[in-house]
Amino acid sequence: MATQDDDTLTGSVPDPDTEPAPAELAHARRFAELVDKTLSGRTPPAMSADDRALLEAATVIRATHGSVELAPSKQRQVVEDALRQAIGAPAPSRGAAVPIARARARRWVPWIVAGTSTLVAAAAVAMLWLRGPAGTGHAGPVARRAEVPPEWTSRPADSLVGPIARDHAGDASARIDAIFADRLDGFRARRLARGGKP
Amino acid sequence: MASEPATTVELELEQEQRLVEEAQQGNLDAMRPILERYAGPLYGTVILPRLGDAASAEEVLRDTLATAVEKIRRFTWQGKSIYPWLRQIAINKVYDVHRQSKRSRRLADAMVHEIDVETDPASHADAQLIADQERRAHRERIDETLQQLQDRYRTAIELRLVQELPREDCARRLGVTIGTFDVLLFRAVRAFRKHFGEHAERAEPPRTGDT
Amino acid sequence: MKRLTRGFGVVIGLVFVGVVDLGACSSERDPTPPPATRVADPSDVIDQGLMVALAQAKNFHHKAKVYMTDGNLTAATAAVRQILSLAFPRGAPEADDVRNDARALLAKLLMSQGQLDEATRTIDEGLAASQRESFFVANLYTVQGELHEARAVAFDAAGESGKAPAGDERRQAISSYDRSIQINERLQKKLLEER
């Protein structure tokens, strides 16, 4: 006798030779596809509660036989994220194909060689972010962690560079110039905010 | 069972102690090598077998590592690896997840005992040994349950979930169509889940010092 | 029956889950007021190491440009290759971007010198080593497409015997260009959403 679909977790399990009803066949196929996707690392986010419970049981079996390990790249990402979470830095977006690092991508503007007004303004803003002494180690209240503007951080260059047209595929020289100029801007702003210290 | 030359273990412990002390003095990034070393065993032997869901397990691992960094000043070096401490943080995080889940809400009322995989608290069992013991303990329980299943159900699980053979191969080995194999696996996992639950309700509280 | 519904979850708890509070763990003690720490800058700020690496990459690119203007493709190739050996701070996303950009240029230089296999290897290594999608990875796929087209042209020259492999290469070129387009589209959407 076939099992009713809504008794997936609680109903009795038929013998192997029992002919399955169409509902059970359909459910079994659906579950097989879930297992397929999970084994290839593509677990679907949405599924019924019963299917999730069964998939968890399947994963527990696999995990105890050492079949499920964290990929090295994923492991590094998790460690990085954990350190950011603990230290308090803004985290890159997770779970997406492109973890573009910072919340608001800044449009690239040409780096201004002369004139300190931009840098002074950046320093003034930076002073509002900083708390406590740096690296003194003496007894006292714990210094608040510095919060750092995105422009001061190492981050992907996608937002700066934009899509690369085919006829510019080899223009790496122009792009490195833009990346260097942009990061130099941030590097100098941070140094200025820290009173010239690296 | 993994074993390493004592000198290697001692050197690793020394390095670990140095890193912990550096982190406790304020350089939290010193925790990085420790986290990288233990992320794998924590995920594979502590968190995932208890949660069964890879996405949740990753979140719990991340929270575990972050908590360890945040609370590193509360850790006292006792001449053995920091891994048992990390492991306990992970288990508590898993418990939090279960407590929030409607399906296992009763857990919140039950004070349960953890399998103590360290046979001697004073021993200097390294992390690899602990992880191996833990994995063995999990596997024993899983295997006990699998033994209770009908042969074809047990075989379906072993072929598809342990050996990770494609459905077509599994079906061929069992002499059935793919559709029939899908039904066998579906019923097998249902049966496993039921037996595992019944076994737990009959089980004695776990012995301490169990390996 | 409801007992059994929770049975699996219960067994997770009964058998596996520990509830020892962190405070009761023998490896901890009650925290005394912690000493002050130095301000912990996030580890991903732009530091001197990154600026040095970027400056060196910039210099090698300019060197290569001068050689290319002179028609000395061998020296230009060598200069671009050196970018791949530069040491970047660990985990710096710019490292991937700069290296992938260098690989794209290197592959084009090799292609122009008829070294299609070496060019292909350069692209393949870049794609394998990339930690995330980026416009630079999309660019690698674009150059990969151009490599397939170059191979197709080479097969065309072989006459009738080269017709089938030329067709294959062109199909693969289209596939590479498609990958590039898809990555670009995903990234642009993501960037727009984040603004």
Side-chain angles (χ1 to χ4, degrees):
Chain A
M1 194 175 303
T3 315
Q4 293 302 313
D5 206 39
D6 58 4
D7 287 337
T8 300
L9 301 183
T10 59
S12 61
V13 179
D15 284 337
D17 296 323
T18 305
E19 196 64 30
E24 191 190 10
L25 261 175
H27 199 166
R29 190 176 307 118
R30 210 164 60 234
F31 181 66
E33 283 165 12
L34 284 176
V35 171
D36 250 349
K37 290 193 173 122
T38 301
L39 288 179
S40 58
R42 298 176 290 123
T43 307
M47 64 185 83
S48 71
D50 287 352
D51 283 345
R52 187 172 292 283
L54 291 181
L55 203 60
E56 283 176 4
T59 304
V60 166
I61 294 169
R62 292 177 59 223
T64 50
H65 285 82
S67 305
V68 188
E69 289 182 352
L70 211 51
S73 58
K74 175 63 78 175
Q75 190 169 304
R76 278 193 295 276
Q77 185 187 331
V78 169
V79 168
E80 232 11 87
D81 288 349
L83 282 167
R84 285 177 205 271
Q85 189 175 316
I87 292 171
S93 57
R94 288 195 294 266
V98 184
I100 304 290
R102 301 297 168 228
R104 287 178 203 82
R106 190 166 67 105
R107 295 189 73 83
W108 176 65
V109 293
W111 179 62
I112 299 168
V113 177
T116 58
S117 57
T118 305
L119 296 177
V120 167
V125 170
M127 291 307 289
L128 292 175
W129 296 59
L130 292 172
R131 293 284 184 271
T136 57
H138 59 260
V142 174
R144 245 189 74 184
R145 290 184 293 267
E147 294 188 58
V148 172
E151 292 79 8
W152 296 4
T153 62
S154 172
R155 60 205 186 278
D158 297 282
S159 58
L160 179 67
V161 158
I164 300 169
R166 185 174 164 181
D167 50 347
H168 290 289
D171 285 0
S173 178
R175 287 189 285 274
I176 189 65
D177 285 350
I179 295 170
F180 177 81
D182 181 76
R183 298 309 189 256
L184 185 61
D185 200 4
F187 177 67
R188 287 180 173 176
R190 179 172 168 253
R191 281 189 72 167
L192 190 69
R194 291 167 63 87
K197 292 176 195 164
Chain B
M1 183 188 308
S3 61
E4 293 174 295
T7 50
T8 308
V9 171
E10 283 164 5
L11 282 171
E12 283 176 353
L13 276 178
E14 267 177 38
Q15 188 204 34
E16 204 169 279
Q17 183 179 6
R18 215 167 36 245
L19 290 168
V20 167
E21 283 169 1
E22 201 178 324
Q24 289 173 331
Q25 283 159 18
N27 179 16
L28 296 180
D29 201 58
M31 287 292 288
R32 185 189 301 273
I34 295 175
L35 303 187
E36 284 172 352
R37 184 173 185 214
Y38 294 132
L42 285 172
Y43 179 84
T45 68
V46 179
I47 299 170
L48 184 60
R50 289 168 169 79
L51 284 181
D53 175 60
S56 301
E58 260 177 52
E59 284 292 335
V60 168
L61 175 64
R62 190 177 295 114
D63 285 344
T64 297
L65 301 183
T67 297
V69 174
E70 287 163 9
K71 294 186 192 282
I72 191 60
R73 287 196 207 89
R74 296 176 64 186
F75 173 75
T76 303
W77 188 263
Q78 292 187 323
K80 57 180 181 179
S81 169
I82 195 176
Y83 181 75
W85 186 69
L86 295 173
R87 180 175 170 273
Q88 197 57 63
I89 296 174
I91 288 170
N92 287 350
K93 297 277 181 194
V94 169
Y95 177 74
D96 289 343
V97 170
H98 281 297
R99 193 169 48 193
Q100 288 163 18
S101 161
K102 281 184 186 172
R103 275 188 288 122
S104 54
R105 197 182 290 280
R106 190 178 281 178
L107 286 177
D109 304 323
M111 297 296 286
V112 297
H113 298 285
E114 171 58 18
I115 294 173
D116 184 359
V117 293
E118 292 185 69
T119 55
D120 173 8
S123 79
H124 292 256
D126 66 18
Q128 185 62 53
L129 187 60
I130 295 170
D132 286 347
Q133 287 175 335
E134 182 137 34
R135 196 190 297 277
R136 207 166 45 248
H138 288 324
R139 190 179 298 191
E140 276 170 13
R141 291 185 189 273
I142 298 293
D143 287 348
E144 270 171 30
T145 307
L146 284 174
Q147 287 307 313
Q148 295 177 51
L149 302 186
Q150 299 209 33
D151 285 348
R152 292 178 80 195
Y153 289 156
R154 183 172 57 254
T155 305
I157 285 178
E158 283 172 357
L159 291 175
R160 186 71 178 119
L161 300 180
V162 176
Q163 295 184 41
E164 295 192 6
L165 295 177
R167 284 156 72 198
E168 299 77 8
D169 287 358
C170 298
R172 192 172 51 249
R173 291 192 188 204
L174 283 169
V176 299
T177 62
I178 295 178
T180 301
F181 175 74
D182 289 346
V183 172
L184 281 175
L185 183 68
F186 178 61
R187 290 176 179 173
V189 175
R190 286 184 56 209
F192 172 87
R193 197 178 178 283
K194 280 191 68 180
H195 280 286
F196 206 50
E198 287 165 3
H199 178 273
E201 294 189 344
R202 286 195 305 270
E204 296 287 333
R207 301 188 301 275
T208 56
D210 194 8
T211 55
Chain C
M1 289 304 155
K2 284 227 159 128
R3 270 191 325 149
L4 290 178
T5 303
R6 286 195 280 267
F8 192 75
V10 169
V11 72
I12 296 288
L14 286 175
V15 174
F16 293 140
V17 177
V19 293
V20 176
D21 188 275
L22 264 182
C25 180
S26 62
S27 63
E28 296 181 345
R29 58 173 154 207
D30 287 336
T32 54
T37 65
R38 61 173 181 273
V39 172
D41 258 349
S43 59
D44 56 348
V45 290
I46 300 171
D47 62 7
Q48 202 138 355
L50 178 62
M51 291 315 304
V52 166
L54 288 175
Q56 286 176 322
K58 190 162 120 81
N59 288 341
F60 281 123
H61 269 300
H62 280 242
K63 205 168 154 184
K65 213 168 167 185
V66 171
Y67 283 127
M68 280 188 264
T69 309
D70 264 353
N72 188 347
L73 295 186
T74 308
T77 303
V80 175
R81 254 196 222 287
Q82 291 195 277
I83 296 170
L84 301 182
S85 307
L86 291 174
F88 279 81
R90 185 169 56 170
E94 289 91 345
D96 259 8
D97 295 342
V98 169
R99 286 184 190 130
N100 281 339
D101 220 4
R103 283 185 186 277
L105 175 57
L106 181 59
K108 285 180 80 76
L109 282 168
L110 290 165
M111 209 170 14
S112 67
Q113 297 168 76
Q115 298 176 44
L116 297 187
D117 286 344
E118 184 65 23
T120 300
R121 214 169 6 252
T122 301
I123 296 292
D124 287 348
E125 283 168 0
L127 291 174
S130 293
Q131 306 268 342
R132 59 175 222 283
E133 283 189 339
S134 66
F135 291 131
F136 299 89
V137 169
N139 195 38
L140 285 179
Y141 279 111
T142 301
V143 177
Q144 189 184 61
E146 290 177 359
L147 273 166
H148 285 301
E149 280 194 277
R151 286 186 197 280
V153 166
F155 279 122
D156 282 342
E160 191 59 30
S161 63
K163 215 170 172 184
D168 280 345
E169 289 295 337
R170 290 202 164 88
R171 272 187 288 281
Q172 290 188 62
I174 291 172
S175 176
S176 295
Y177 291 137
D178 276 349
R179 285 294 298 268
S180 178
I181 290 168
Q182 284 157 13
I183 293 173
N184 280 329
E185 281 175 355
R186 276 199 291 271
L187 272 172
Q188 286 181 84
K189 187 168 179 275
K190 191 111 182 87
L191 284 175
L192 283 170
E193 282 168 359
E194 287 180 350
R195 287 203 178 164

